Amino acid sequence: ISGDSNSSNNTLALLLSKLFDSNSVTQVLGDNYRIWNKKSPVWKSLTSLNPRANNLFQFVNDVLALIHGKNVVAPHYDKDTGVLNHMMEMQTNDVIIVSGVHTLYSKVLCRKMDLSIYLKVDETLYQYFKLQRGGKYNNLFKIDLLGTEDKENQLDRRKLDIKKYITPQKQQADIIFSLMPVNSNLLNSDKEPSLKLKVS
């Protein structure tokens, strides 16, 4: 499952995992393969959407190993603290669900997947979620601010990387889920919009 960092691909992965017995599922999160901690000065020139900000070599190798029946020792990134705090063992399993912004970036990995999904969020809805701080979507749609950097500037900065590195992954997807507002006029009001999901 791939999509932008705020498309809730990890949430969808968690929901799908509940369709199976918990002992038969291994979930791999691409977020765990970030190279630098949240406070690193490298984020002044990179966003987490840039492949260079993530250890995709280990990510791909770990997923391939799990697919081929091998256990792996993988990193763990704490999203609350922004720190790579420990390594953890992941067991191979009957069902392996992989989610993250670069899940469909490697064509080698895509060829090994039984089903690939891309989550696309309507642009106006995407910005609405990004700019809503402290609302009900705060845990699903986050924006990484650099000090006092303006939110709008951060959105523009990430937009370039979305277009270059994330959106092209749709070409590798078997299914594309599009999330869009039913009543887009509410995006500029204090009321929360209703949402609908389109499958293509």
Side-chain angles (χ1 to χ4, degrees), residues 54-193:
N54 303 269
N55 190 344
L56 296 187
F57 180 79
Q58 183 179 359
F59 172 71
V60 171
N61 282 345
D62 283 354
V63 175
L64 290 176
L66 291 169
I67 290 174
H68 291 121
K70 300 177 182 178
N71 299 337
V72 300
V73 176
H76 179 265
Y77 179 83
D78 190 322
K79 294 190 71 173
D80 293 327
T81 63
V83 174
L84 294 161
N85 52 13
H86 66 271
M87 302 295 287
M88 59 183 183
E89 183 176 7
M90 287 195 295
Q91 306 283 334
T92 186
N93 226 321
D94 297 327
V95 179
I96 299 168
I97 300 178
V98 186
S99 60
V101 296
H102 298 107
T103 302
L104 305 181
Y105 188 80
S106 167
K107 293 183 179 180
V108 173
L109 186 56
C110 287
R111 287 195 290 268
K112 293 291 185 178
M113 295 177 177
D114 295 314
L115 178 67
S116 55
I117 299 172
Y118 183 90
L119 285 176
K120 180 181 182 299
V121 179
D122 174 80
E123 181 63 26
T124 55
L125 182 64
Y126 172 81
Q127 294 198 27
Y128 168 82
F129 283 136
K130 279 283 195 177
L131 298 175
Q132 290 299 307
R133 302 293 288 176
K136 64 178 285 190
Y137 300 103
N138 196 40
N139 291 328
L140 299 181
F141 297 84
K142 294 184 178 179
I143 182 171
D144 294 326
L145 300 178
L146 301 175
T148 57
E149 184 179 10
D150 182 78
K151 296 178 184 179
E152 292 287 354
N153 290 337
Q154 177 78 341
L155 284 172
D156 291 340
R157 185 165 164 263
R158 291 168 60 86
K159 192 179 297 184
L160 294 175
D161 281 352
I162 293 172
K163 182 177 181 180
K164 186 174 182 179
Y165 303 115
I166 309 303
T167 303
Q169 295 180 54
K170 289 193 297 183
Q171 300 174 9
Q172 307 298 326
D174 298 313
I175 301 174
I176 298 175
F177 289 112
S178 297
L179 186 64
M180 56 193 67
V182 174
N183 39 7
S184 58
N185 58 303
L186 295 182
L187 296 178
N188 295 319
S189 70
D190 294 331
K191 298 180 180 180
E192 293 184 355

Side-chain angles (χ1 to χ4, degrees), residues 21-66:
D21 182 273
S22 60
N23 294 322
S24 65
V25 179
T26 292
Q27 191 171 350
V28 183
L29 303 179
D31 288 341
N32 286 331
Y33 291 84
R34 291 185 184 179
I35 296 176
W36 296 284
N37 292 333
K38 189 173 183 178
K39 294 183 178 180
S40 170
V42 75
W43 301 120
K44 293 180 180 180
S45 59
L46 288 179
T47 74
S48 60
L49 303 173
N50 191 309
R52 291 190 293 132
N54 303 269
N55 190 344
L56 296 187
F57 180 79
Q58 183 179 359
F59 172 71
V60 171
N61 282 345
D62 283 354
V63 175
L64 290 176
L66 291 169

